[in-house]
Amino acid sequence: MQQATFDSRGSRIRWTEAPGAGPARVYLHGLGAMSAVYHAHIAARPELAGRRSLFVDLPGHGTSDRPQDFGYTLEDHADAVATALDAAEVAGAELIAHSMGGAVAVVLAHRRPDLVSRLVLTEANLDAFPPPTAGSSGIAAYREDEFVEGGHARVLEAVGPLWAATMRLADPRALHRSAVGLRKGSEPVMRTLLEGLHVDRVFLQGEHSGELAGREGLEAAGVRVVTVPGAGHNVMFDNPDAFVAAVNGTG
């Protein structure tokens, strides 16, 4: 495990790392998740072996610190990840990012283009104010103190055992602020930022999640959109072969 200080109070963002050649692959998780849990089995595949891999836990999640006075906006998360990559002496990395992590990755690529050479996004949040069925919407519907005092427990019961296994490790206040920040989106919004980037960009959409809104615009901007058969939101679990092929650039 490695760590770097990301705020003035000495709070640390942490990541686990597998050595290998560059360019490094940096894996970012979604809201209430952990990077290694969602991606270590992918990085270990023979097709992806031999590359340096960093599994970064966003502030408030997993093994990273959870300061109570941190904003947990998309920009805050992106800057914290940038601090980790600077400390790890990583530049020109491939970012493999899921859901909220994908939104963070897009913001990071916009703010620090020197750190990013490629984006592989899995059902990343691209627009502000997602539908009420989105996990972030359900969390953000609570007031912050209400969520901390009881809403967190109710959400854990509702989300199912897979997501709850990592969400219970996230700090409730950090989780709520992250959800609020995700619903607010970036300025300009993530979709606009993604369309304006000049790196290789792949967007994975699970077949069971339905058609990706605004697909034509993304493709016109040079984003390769892949509909993954037999998969829902967690493509890396539902169809790991397709996921690995996308990361490897062969699918």
Side-chain angles (χ1 to χ4, degrees):
M1 185 187 297
Q2 307 294 325
Q3 60 184 7
T5 300
F6 66 86
D7 67 7
S8 60
R9 295 179 179 272
S11 304
R12 292 173 173 85
I13 183 170
R14 297 185 175 88
W15 64 97
T16 53
E17 183 172 335
R25 292 189 176 115
V26 177
Y27 295 86
L28 299 179
H29 60 81
L31 180 69
M34 292 177 63
S35 187
V37 171
Y38 277 71
H39 294 114
H41 68 293
I42 296 297
R45 288 281 291 261
E47 304 96 309
L48 303 180
R51 289 281 290 277
R52 186 182 182 191
S53 299
L54 289 75
F55 305 95
V56 181
D57 286 343
L58 297 173
H61 293 71
T63 59
S64 290
D65 286 350
R66 45 210 66 204
Q68 296 296 293
D69 58 351
F70 193 65
Y72 297 98
T73 65
L74 291 175
E75 291 81 5
D76 290 335
H77 281 301
D79 289 347
V81 174
T83 297
L85 299 189
D86 285 338
E89 299 183 345
V90 167
E94 297 183 6
L95 267 59
I96 297 92
H98 180 225
S99 199
M100 184 184 80
V104 172
V106 170
V107 174
L108 174 62
H110 172 71
R111 291 167 76 88
R112 289 288 307 273
D114 58 305
L115 297 178
V116 182
S117 64
R118 183 171 186 248
L119 291 172
V120 180
L121 307 175
T122 305
E123 299 218 349
N125 299 79
L126 298 181
D127 302 302
F129 302 105
T133 54
S136 58
S137 297
I139 293 171
Y142 289 90
R143 297 188 306 275
E144 182 173 309
D145 287 341
E146 180 187 14
F147 182 76
V148 171
E149 294 167 4
H152 182 234
R154 290 192 290 274
V155 168
L156 286 179
E157 293 178 356
V159 297
L162 179 65
W163 197 7
T166 55
M167 187 185 287
R168 66 187 180 188
L169 302 177
D171 178 77
R173 199 170 299 278
L175 185 63
H176 185 270
R177 290 182 187 173
S178 295
V180 170
L182 182 58
R183 278 185 52 78
K184 178 182 178 182
S186 61
E187 179 59 45
V189 74
M190 297 81 76
R191 183 181 297 272
T192 300
L193 296 181
L194 178 62
E195 292 176 347
L197 294 174
H198 300 288
V199 297
D200 181 38
R201 294 151 295 164
V202 180
F203 193 104
L204 303 181
Q205 177 78 357
E207 176 188 27
H208 299 322
S209 298
E211 185 62 29
L212 175 63
R215 176 172 185 152
E216 297 81 3
L218 292 174
E219 292 179 330
V223 179
R224 186 164 68 90
V225 179
V226 179
T227 299
V228 181
H233 187 59
N234 296 323
V235 175
M236 69 292 295
F237 295 145
D238 297 337
N239 193 337
D241 290 342
F243 193 91
V244 167
V247 174
N248 200 31
T250 59

